[in-house]
Structures are given as structure tokens and as C-alpha cells.
Amino acid sequence: MGRWRSLLLLCALCLSETTGEPTKNDDEVNLVSFLRGIYAGLLLRDDPLVLNTDFGINSLASERSQSFSSSQESENEDKAVKKTDIGPLVMTKNGPIKGITTDKAHIFYGIPYADPPVGSYRWKPPRPVSPWKAVYDATFPRAACMQGCRGPIAAECPQNVSEDCLYLNIFAPRDVNFSSPLSNPLPVMVWIHGGDFIAGSASKPLYDGRFMSNFTHTIVVNLEYRLGAFGFLVSGKDAKMSAVGNYGILDQQAALLWVQRNIATFGGDPGKVTLFGESAGAQSVSLHLMIQSSKPLFKQAVLQSLPFSIPLKTRHDALKLGKEFAKKTNCSVGDIVCLLSLTPQAVLEAQMKTSSKLVNPFRFLEVFETWGPFIDGELIKEQAVTAFQKGHWHAEKPVLLGTTSEEGVIFVYGVFSKPVSALESIMYVTAIFKQHSLRILHKYLPLYRDSDRRNMLAQIVTDFVFLCPSRRSARAATEAGSKTWMYVFDHVTSDPRVWSGLTFCYRHVCHGAELPFVFDSAPVAGFALTPAEKLLSNRVLCHWGAFAHTGDPSSRFRQTTFCREQRLPVWPRYSDTSGWLVMNLTVRSHAQVGTRNHVCDFWDHLGIY
């Protein structure tokens, strides 16, 4: 071991310089004014920048499907009604909407919750959606937000993308009667999709909400939000003459506000909203748990695979990224006229070129989130893991959170396509953790003897980025008096493909492996389940539904016979009195003591997240 210690010390020296209460939903409550008083950047109908240049931007020519010209209004209205003549008709505060009815649920696709963020509104906060008179056709999904996928996940990309993308989908159980208000409105589950803040869509088959809505008797809402440079570019500090970032988070707030104002029309209870998301979606949920102006918009939260240890950018880092982006467009970072004149495709191409340039194996945590929210000092004031540890969040809200057992595989094997030697792994760990690297390597190196050390790096990512900071945050939440539940999803699917679609996740419980079980969407997404896996899916689905109904994932809520028949195992609250038990979600789900508590004790003691 002496040779190893000398080598570790040498690497450390060589690389030590490497751096870096919901409001009521009635007409007397003006939530827009209320939220404006808390945060002036949300949903303002401010005037666009006055520019003397004719851009010819593609998105300016596209109009919302509810915005009819005088010559087409009648024709399009008749077409919408004929296409959905057996679907439900709902009157929202913005206008009438026609959906479709399937064997599982009523569905309303592509409802606009804000006006299109196009043209001179490209890098502006979301604006209230303009009302319409004709019946809006909500029988098909609208375009996803601008994104581009390359490599193994290209096949999963939405086929239709646009800057005009601020829409949401609503799924309601078949027994909802839209012609008369429900005496007992249903809980609402609002889903924020993941995708590293650069990809994903509310209409992805994996997130099909009709099954969850039907079996759990809830209203399910899936929302789109601006991604990548469109949602998070920072080019300066002056909001009138530059992009100031965090627009994607403001979009999510606007959608939540729309839900508060309209969901009762669809049979939902605006005072009983559960916000849930996975990966970047979970990160978004954690931010709303910290943002004061989001407090009245939801009651409780589910955090699936939140990458707690991936730091949000500082303003300095966000501006640095913005300058690199501008270089790729041949615009000056301070020239908003030039930046706004770019076509959506040019913005996307510059975003992707900027992202690829920043991929650095010695700072490979960066590759997990090149674009995304940053700490602006107003909307977002600190890192999520810090906020949880200091109690700077809505601690009165119940929280359910957890991870998969092998989160890091998809990331490490995505960055390193070839085997990583022991020496290379030492160099990477040293570059990332610097003065802590010797202790970390001493903890992990003896456990991995294979010549390829990618599995070791993947376990470090799993423990440091996901599992251990989640455990630390859950314990902090418990200490703050919050009702908290933890899980680990630990089931290796029998399907030879993986839920993520990435071949190197074969036979691993990768990041996102729980998603088809949560939504019961495996058949729609093209995956086969064994009878035992179907039972697991049923139980996971009902745990989430029970949490939405009662704030307890193991309660036997009476609203659905389906979930009463699942015989859900008892899921104890996460607390020291229960022995810090977590729910192991596998074919034989059961509560257990965390299997990696000793490792998380090690990371907690290091104090680096």
C-alpha cells in the first residue's frame, strides 16, 4: 500500500491547483398581483424591447392554435369541434377547451399557460396567456421546447420542437363530471420532467399521465418549460437590455399559477397540489421549495433522484457561459439586438457547441449540468443542499424523496466511453475533490480490483451526488419538523433494454429506472413487464397516489379500489425513532435500514456537500 500512498500523494500535489399555505382559488384572490408583490419578475406584461430591425425569426410567424384569423376562425373552430365531438368541454378563465376521452382518462393536451416567448420576448419572463373565444382544440400534444439530442439518446428526442412551447397537459379520471363542480375535488399531481435542463418533454410517452390519474384518482398535470440557452442564458444584469436567466424556473411558476387559477374546472383541488419531478425536474422542485413566491402554489413535494451535489452556477459562472455562447453566434454578449435576431436553430446550435466545449474529464461534474438555474440573489439565493441543512425552505410541507441504487452509471459511462485505468481514476478523483481526494480514494480503491475503474467512479457519483446528500437533507428536514419519507429504487428490470434507452445501463438500476413504474407507462414506452414487475409498478404508483391524497405514501386512501387492493407495505416516516428506515422499492418491497449508511456517514463527516 506504500506505493499507492506515494502515487496518491503525487497526484494530489500535481493537481492541487485545479479549481472552481396554498391560497384559495376564487375570483376575489388575485394570485398574479400577490406573486408580483413577492417577485417582480413573474408574469409581467411588460413592453417588449423596441428594436428597429426586422428579424424574420421563424417563431414570429407561428401563431397559437387558438389565435384565429378572421378568414380561418370559423373553419378551424368547426374542425376542432368535429375532431373532438365526443370529448369533454371545459371553460377555463382564458376560454373554452375541448379534450378527448380514452378508456383510462379524460385528456387535455397542449393547453397554453403563458403567451409564446418568441421574438423580442425570447429572453423575458413568461406573460399571462391571452384569452380566446373559439373552442381550443386540446386533442393533441403541442411542440416541445427547443432542444437537440445527439448520440445514444437521439432517438428519444421529441420530433417537433419550437420556441412557442409553454403548454401543459391535463389528465383527469373518467368519473369526473365537468358539467358540475365536484363536491370533493381531487388531489393534483404536477409533474416537472427531467433532462439536464436541456432536453425532455411533458408529452414523452414515459410520462403518460392517464394511468396514474385513473388508478390513483388524481388530476395529473405535465408541463413544458424553456430549456438550455432559451431558458437559462445570462448575458448581463439589466433585464431590459440583456438575458438574465432562470426563465425556465419562472415558466414553471407561471404553470403552477395557472393550475391554481384553473384546475378546479377540471375537478382538481388547488389547495392540494403535489409537485413532483425527477433529476432536473426534482432539482426544479427543490428550488420551488426554497423560493418564497412559490410557497402558495403547492402543498407537498416528491423529489426523485435529485442531484443535490451538482452546484448551481454563480452569477460569474453564468455570465462566463453566456460569453462563450455569444462567441459561437458571432454576437457580442452585450448586443441584445444581435442575440434576438438569431433564429431558434442558431441559438440551439450555439448552445450545443458551448456545451461540448466545456466537457472536461478533469471537471466532469460540469457535464451533468452545463445549462440550468443559477443563484441570482433574488429568486434563487443559495444551493438546495445548503437550504435544506439550514432550514431555508418550506419545512412545513411533507416531502418524499429517494434515489435509484446505481444513479452514477449512466453519467460516468456517458462521459467515459472507454475503460478508465486505476491511475486515471486517481487523477480524476483528485482533480474533483482536491484536498479530500486521499481519504475518498482510501475509502473506495480497495473495493474495486477490476482494471476498468468506471464502476468505482459511478459509485462515487451515486454516493456523493445523489444518495448521501439526499440522506443528509432528509435528516435535516426531519430535524426541522418536516414529515419526510425516503426510498431507494433497487430493481433490475428483466427487459434487456433499459428505461433510459442507453445500452451501457444494461442490468443496472440506473438514473430514471423508477419512471415507468411511477407512471405505469412501461407498455406505452415500449417495455415489457413480468407479473412481478407489474405488481411492483402497481404498488409504486399507489404509494405516490397515497402521498398525493393523504400526505402519507403507505396510507390506504379510499378513493380507488385499485390501490386498496395492492396491500401496500408499511412505509415508516424517516426519523431516528424509526431507526432511519427507508423503503426498498423492489419486487419484494420492504422497509429497511439504509444499506450504505456507513458510506454516507463518511461523506457527511467530510462536509463537502
Side-chain angles (χ1 to χ4, degrees), residues 365-381:
L365 291 183
E366 280 190 2
V367 78
F368 298 169
E369 193 171 292
T370 302
W371 293 91
F374 83 105
I375 299 175
D376 58 14
E378 296 181 65
L379 191 70
I380 303 171
K381 299 180 179 180

Side-chain angles (χ1 to χ4, degrees), residues 486-535:
M486 276 205 79
Y487 73 87
V488 59
F489 188 84
D490 193 27
H491 174 67
V492 178
T493 173
S494 61
D495 196 298
R497 295 159 297 177
V498 201
W499 308 121
S500 66
L502 299 175
T503 55
F504 51 74
C505 268
Y506 178 68
R507 294 302 181 196
H508 290 277
V509 190
C510 281
H511 186 70
E514 84 286 4
L515 290 172
F517 293 86
V518 170
F519 283 93
D520 194 35
S521 59
V524 176
F527 297 99
L529 295 181
T530 66
E533 288 172 335
K534 177 59 179 173
L535 177 60

